[in-house]
Amino acid sequence: MCSMSTAPPTRGGTFGDFMINIADVARHAGVSTATVSRALSGGHHVSPATRLRVEASAAQLGYVVSSNASSLASGRMKNIGVVVPFLNHWFFASVVEGAQQALQRHGYDLTLYNLTGGLEARRSVFEHFLLRQRVDAVIAVSLELSENEVARLHALDKPLVGVGGPLAGVRTLTVDDLAVARLATEHLIALGHTRIAHIGGDKAFDLDFNLPTNRRFGYEAALAAAGIVARRDDFRPADFTTAGGYQAAKQLLGRPHERPTAIFAASDEMAIGSILAARDLGLVVPGDVSVIGVDDHELADFFGLSTVAQFPQQQGEKAVEVLMQELRPHPESRTGLNINMPFELIVRGSTARPMV
Amino acid sequence: MCSMSTAPPTRGGTFGDFMINIADVARHAGVSTATVSRALSGGHHVSPATRLRVEASAAQLGYVVSSNASSLASGRMKNIGVVVPFLNHWFFASVVEGAQQALQRHGYDLTLYNLTGGLEARRSVFEHFLLRQRVDAVIAVSLELSENEVARLHALDKPLVGVGGPLAGVRTLTVDDLAVARLATEHLIALGHTRIAHIGGDKAFDLDFNLPTNRRFGYEAALAAAGIVARRDDFRPADFTTAGGYQAAKQLLGRPHERPTAIFAASDEMAIGSILAARDLGLVVPGDVSVIGVDDHELADFFGLSTVAQFPQQQGEKAVEVLMQELRPHPESRTGLNINMPFELIVRGSTARPMV
DNA sequence: TGTGACCCTGCAAGCGATTGCAGAATAAAT
DNA sequence: ATTTATTCTGCAATCGCTTGCAGGGTCACA
C-alpha cells in the first residue's frame, strides 16, 4: 500500500510515516508516476480514461501532491507572500482576508509576513524569509519600501504588486486619495456648508505614502474649486485613531462662535471620534455639525456616519487577480502600472444641510 | 559564479534564473555541499574555521537555503499553518499577529487559512490545503472542529494546538471564561451593586465553544455566591457587536424604575454599545449605571471602559511556544492538554459604586 | 611510535514530484 | 495495406538540499 522502496535508512517525518506518494498512486492505477503527475495537473496529454482511473486511485488513497516536491521540480510554489505593516487593524486585515479567499480559489496558499516586530523583524523578512524560494509572488500592503527593499524584491524576479501606493516601479492598486477627499468635501459643499474643517495629517504625519497629505490636498482643492478660502485653523492633524479624532474635534468645536459647520475626517475612526466629541460638547450631529469620514469602517453604520467607502477586501482580491494574470505563462493583457480602485460616497445620517 | 551544471535542458523558474544554490557556495568556500549544509544549520559537526568560511561565502553570494529542497530532504517545513474563522476581527487578528511574530523569531513562516469563504472553502482547507505537506504543525484559532476535521488533522500526525477551546483531544489554550465572568461580576458586586444585568449569549448563541454560555454561568455563579437572585429579565442576549450591545442596553435601561445599576457585557464591543445607549438615554456612566466588559478592546481605553482583559497576542505567542516544544526532537516537559491563559481585571472609569 | 577515540569532511543515496524526449499505440490519409 | 500524423505513456534526469556512513586527520595516552 505504501512506499516499498528498497528499505533504505528511513528518514524524514516522524515515525509512523505513512504518507501516500505519487508512486503509490501510480502502482494502484497501473501507470507510471509521470502519467499520474500529468493526470492530476490539468489532465492534458493524458487520455480521459487514464485520467479518470488515476483520479479515482488518488481519491481512494487520499493522495495529495506534496507541495515541496512539486515546487522543487517545477519551480512553482503555489504560494504567495503577503507583507503587511500590522495585522491588527481593520483595513489590513480586510485586505488580507480578501486576498486569502481569492488565493484559495486559485489553489494557492498565503504566507503572511507581518512587520510589526520592528526593524529587526523587517530586515529579516526582506533578507531572509522572502528569499527562501517559497513564494511565487509578493503582495505588499500599504508599505513604503526602501529602495533596497524594492531592489531585493525585484531581484527575486517574481511578480510584485502593491496595495496602496504608488510604489516606485511597482504595479500598485490605489484609490485616488485626492479624489476621495474631494468627493467627501464636495458632498459637504453641495449641502451648503462653507465652513468645513478637516482632521487629517500632513507631511509630518505621512504614515504610508502621502495618503494623509493627498487627502488634505483633495479637501483643499474642493474648497478652492468652490471659491471657499480654507482657514488655517480649520485643519487639525491627528493620528488616525478614534481618540485622536476626538481630541482634534474637541478643539475645532470648542470655540462657540468660531465653530465650523462640518468636519471632514480623513478616516472613519477619526470621524467617529469627532461625533463623540460633538456629543460631549452638547452638539447635535448633523444638526450643529456634519461629519464625514473615509473608509466605511465596520462601525460607520452603527454611528450613522456618512463616508467615502473604499473596499479593502476587494483590493486584496484584485491584487490576487493581477498576480494570477502575471503568473500565467503568457501574460495576456497586462494592466498598467497603476490600477485605480473604486470608492463610493455613502450618505448616512451624519451629514445634512447646515442650520441657517 | 552560478551553477555550471552540464547544461541540461533548462527548466523551472523564469528565464533569468540566476539563483545561487548550495553547490555555488560549496565551490566558493572550497568544501562539499554536505559541509555547507551542516555549517549553515546549527554548525554542529563542523570546525569553527570551516563554518566561518562557509558563512562568509554564503553571505557574500547572498545565498539563502531553498526551503523546498530543504523541506523535501529533511521533512521539516519550517512553516506552520494557522486556521482562523475570520481575520477581520480584532481578536483573531491579534492572535495571528502574536503567532506571526513568535514564529518569525523561530525562523518559521506562517501560512494563513481563513474559513470566511463558507463551507466549500472550509472543506478545501481541511481536505486539501492542509495535507500538502507544507506545514509542520497547525494552530486552530477559535474553531469548533467537527470530528471529521479533527481526525483529518490528527491523520497528519503533526502537532496541533487550539487557541480558545477546549477542543476534544487537542491541546488547547483557553481562558477560563467562567472565571472571567465571575471576576467581572464580582467587581460590580464589590462596588455594592445588587441589580446587575448581563448582556451576552446563551446556548442558542454559542458562537465558539460555550464561550457565551460560560460567561453567563460565571455571572450567575458570582451573583449566587453573593446571595443575589438574578432576575430573568436582567439578561439580554446579543450578538457580540456594538450595535447588539446598544440595543440590548437600551432595553435594559429603558425602564426607569426597573433599571439595573450595572451591566456586565460579555464583550467590550457590547459594553461600548451599552455605554452609548446609556448616554442616549440621558444616563451617566458610571453615575447612573456602571458598565464592564471583557477583552480590553483597543477602544476600551478611549471609552474609559472597565474590563477583564485577555491577551490575544500573547495567546498566539504561547501557542507557538507550545508547538516549538513539541517539534523539538525530544519533547521535554509537555504541558497538559489544557493550558490556562491569564486574564486580568482592568478598572477604568466606567464602573463605580451605585448611587444610593 | 603505536593505537584507539574523536572530530571533520566528503560521498552518494535519497526526499517526491515534473517534464523533455522518444517509443508505442492509435487514427488518418493515400 | 503502407505511410504519416497524432495521441498517449513511460524512462530517466533533474530540482536543491539533508544525512548515514565511512575515510582521513589529529590528538592523547600508553
Side-chain angles (χ1 to χ4, degrees):
Chain A
M1 173 96 83
C2 339
S3 171
M4 39 180 288
S5 53
T6 52
T10 305
R11 286 184 296 104
T14 36
F15 46 102
D17 207 329
F18 287 129
M19 218 41 167
I20 305 294
N21 64 30
I22 199 173
D24 298 319
V25 179
R27 211 170 302 126
H28 184 106
V31 295
S32 72
T33 62
T35 300
V36 173
S37 174
R38 284 191 272 252
L40 260 30
S41 57
H44 296 300
H45 294 278
V46 172
S47 76
T50 318
R51 178 162 48 90
L52 252 45
R53 200 146 36 88
V54 171
E55 283 171 353
S57 294
Q60 202 174 129
L61 298 178
Y63 168 73
V64 176
V65 177
S66 154
S67 60
N68 284 309
S70 174
S71 298
L72 181 56
S74 71
R76 280 173 256 110
M77 317 298 155
K78 286 275 193 179
N79 184 26
I80 77 117
V82 174
V83 189
V84 293
F86 321 94
L87 193 54
N88 195 347
H89 186 291
W90 170 80
F91 182 82
F92 303 115
S94 298
V95 172
V96 173
E97 191 165 287
Q100 212 281 328
Q101 288 183 66
L103 285 170
Q104 195 165 308
R105 284 197 294 274
H106 286 277
Y108 276 64
D109 281 331
L110 183 162
T111 295
L112 186 71
Y113 298 101
N114 181 167
L115 267 28
T116 317
L119 263 71
E120 193 44 49
R122 181 172 184 130
R123 273 204 11 177
S124 79
V125 165
F126 285 95
E127 305 192 353
H128 242 86
F129 285 80
L130 285 173
L131 306 180
R132 294 208 252 195
Q133 315 238 357
R134 192 166 263 177
V135 297
D136 287 318
V138 174
I139 296 179
V141 185
S142 294
L143 282 185
E144 289 232 67
L145 302 175
S146 71
E147 282 199 23
N148 190 346
E149 289 165 347
V150 172
R152 272 208 137 67
L153 290 178
H154 272 137
L156 284 179
D157 195 26
K158 298 199 152 67
L160 164 63
V161 15
V163 173
L167 217 47
V170 176
R171 176 159 295 121
T172 319
L173 315 186
T174 27
V175 299
D176 182 341
D177 284 306
L178 216 132
V180 164
R182 213 166 25 194
L183 180 58
T185 311
E186 281 166 357
H187 168 62
L188 295 173
I189 293 173
L191 285 172
H193 292 275
T194 51
R195 184 74 198 282
I196 302 173
H198 176 50
I199 299 176
D202 51 11
K203 273 267 152 54
F205 256 90
D206 268 4
L207 312 164
D208 4 79
F209 316 106
N210 307 308
L211 185 149
T213 309
N214 284 339
R215 293 199 182 156
R216 184 177 181 188
F217 285 172
Y219 153 79
E220 287 167 354
L223 290 189
I228 301 173
V229 195
R231 293 172 161 236
R232 268 277 221 80
D233 59 350
D234 273 356
F235 164 73
R236 298 284 153 158
D239 61 0
F240 284 73
T241 66
T242 306
Y246 181 88
Q247 287 173 351
K250 267 266 173 100
Q251 293 175 15
L252 284 170
L253 302 174
R255 306 157 299 173
H257 300 296
E258 285 296 313
R259 173 150 48 76
T261 63
I263 294 178
F264 160 48
S267 83
D268 278 358
E269 287 173 84
M270 294 194 292
I272 289 170
S274 301
I275 290 180
L276 294 169
R279 288 189 194 167
D280 283 0
L281 289 170
L283 300 174
V284 176
V285 174
D288 296 310
V289 58
S290 285
V291 176
I292 188 168
V294 175
D295 273 347
D296 201 25
H297 187 277
E298 55 176 348
L299 283 178
D301 189 53
F302 175 72
F303 282 100
L305 178 66
S306 293
T307 190
V308 177
Q310 58 175 324
F311 310 93
Q313 198 147 340
Q314 191 177 318
Q315 291 180 30
E317 288 175 28
K318 180 69 180 176
V320 170
E321 297 315 326
V322 172
L323 282 184
M324 290 299 136
Q325 191 72 230
E326 291 200 43
L327 254 19
R328 247 184 283 284
H330 302 296
E332 297 117 51
S333 59
R334 291 220 168 172
T335 47
L337 249 196
N338 202 102
I339 302 169
N340 267 87
M341 297 302 292
F343 53 90
E344 185 184 322
L345 176 66
I346 297 184
V347 180
R348 296 201 177 90
S350 69
T351 48
R353 323 189 71 82
M355 290 195 300
V356 273
Chain B
M1 174 96 82
C2 336
S3 172
M4 40 179 286
S5 53
T6 53
T10 304
R11 286 185 295 105
T14 35
F15 45 103
D17 206 329
F18 286 129
M19 216 42 167
I20 305 293
N21 64 30
I22 199 174
D24 297 318
V25 179
R27 210 168 305 124
H28 184 106
V31 295
S32 72
T33 63
T35 299
V36 173
S37 174
R38 283 191 273 251
L40 260 30
S41 57
H44 296 299
H45 295 276
V46 172
S47 76
T50 315
R51 178 159 49 88
L52 252 45
R53 199 144 38 88
V54 171
E55 284 171 353
S57 294
Q60 201 173 131
L61 298 178
Y63 168 72
V64 176
V65 177
S66 154
S67 60
N68 284 308
S70 173
S71 297
L72 182 56
S74 71
R76 279 173 257 110
M77 316 299 156
K78 287 278 193 175
N79 185 26
I80 78 115
V82 173
V83 189
V84 293
F86 322 94
L87 192 56
N88 195 346
H89 185 291
W90 171 79
F91 182 83
F92 303 115
S94 298
V95 173
V96 172
E97 190 166 287
Q100 213 280 331
Q101 288 182 68
L103 284 170
Q104 196 165 307
R105 284 196 293 272
H106 287 276
Y108 276 64
D109 281 331
L110 183 161
T111 295
L112 186 70
Y113 298 101
N114 181 168
L115 267 27
T116 317
L119 263 72
E120 193 43 51
R122 182 170 182 130
R123 273 204 10 174
S124 79
V125 166
F126 284 96
E127 304 192 354
H128 239 84
F129 285 80
L130 286 174
L131 306 180
R132 293 208 255 198
Q133 315 237 2
R134 194 165 263 179
V135 297
D136 287 319
V138 175
I139 297 179
V141 185
S142 294
L143 283 184
E144 289 233 66
L145 300 174
S146 71
E147 283 199 21
N148 190 345
E149 288 165 346
V150 172
R152 272 207 137 67
L153 289 178
H154 271 137
L156 284 180
D157 195 25
K158 299 200 152 67
L160 164 64
V161 16
V163 173
L167 217 48
V170 176
R171 175 159 298 122
T172 319
L173 315 187
T174 27
V175 300
D176 183 341
D177 283 306
L178 217 132
V180 164
R182 211 166 26 192
L183 180 58
T185 311
E186 281 165 356
H187 168 62
L188 296 173
I189 293 173
L191 285 172
H193 292 275
T194 53
R195 185 76 197 282
I196 302 172
H198 176 50
I199 299 176
D202 51 9
K203 273 264 151 52
F205 256 91
D206 268 3
L207 312 165
D208 2 80
F209 315 104
N210 306 309
L211 183 150
T213 310
N214 284 339
R215 292 196 182 159
R216 184 177 180 187
F217 285 171
Y219 154 78
E220 288 167 353
L223 290 189
I228 300 174
V229 196
R231 293 173 161 233
R232 267 275 222 81
D233 59 349
D234 273 357
F235 165 73
R236 300 282 155 161
D239 62 1
F240 284 73
T241 66
T242 307
Y246 180 87
Q247 287 173 352
K250 267 265 172 101
Q251 293 175 15
L252 285 170
L253 302 175
R255 307 157 299 176
H257 300 298
E258 286 295 313
R259 175 149 50 74
T261 62
I263 294 178
F264 160 48
S267 82
D268 278 357
E269 287 174 85
M270 295 195 292
I272 289 169
S274 302
I275 290 178
L276 294 169
R279 288 189 193 169
D280 282 0
L281 288 170
L283 300 174
V284 176
V285 175
D288 297 309
V289 56
S290 285
V291 176
I292 187 169
V294 175
D295 274 348
D296 200 25
H297 186 279
E298 54 176 348
L299 284 178
D301 189 52
F302 176 71
F303 282 100
L305 179 65
S306 293
T307 191
V308 177
Q310 57 176 326
F311 310 93
Q313 197 147 340
Q314 192 177 320
Q315 290 179 32
E317 287 174 30
K318 180 69 180 175
V320 169
E321 297 315 326
V322 171
L323 283 184
M324 289 300 134
Q325 189 72 227
E326 290 200 41
L327 287 173
R328 245 184 286 284
H330 303 296
E332 297 116 49
S333 58
R334 290 221 168 171
T335 46
L337 249 196
N338 202 104
I339 302 168
N340 267 88
M341 297 301 292
F343 52 91
E344 183 183 324
L345 176 67
I346 297 184
V347 180
R348 296 201 178 91
S350 69
T351 48
R353 325 189 70 83
M355 290 195 299
V356 273

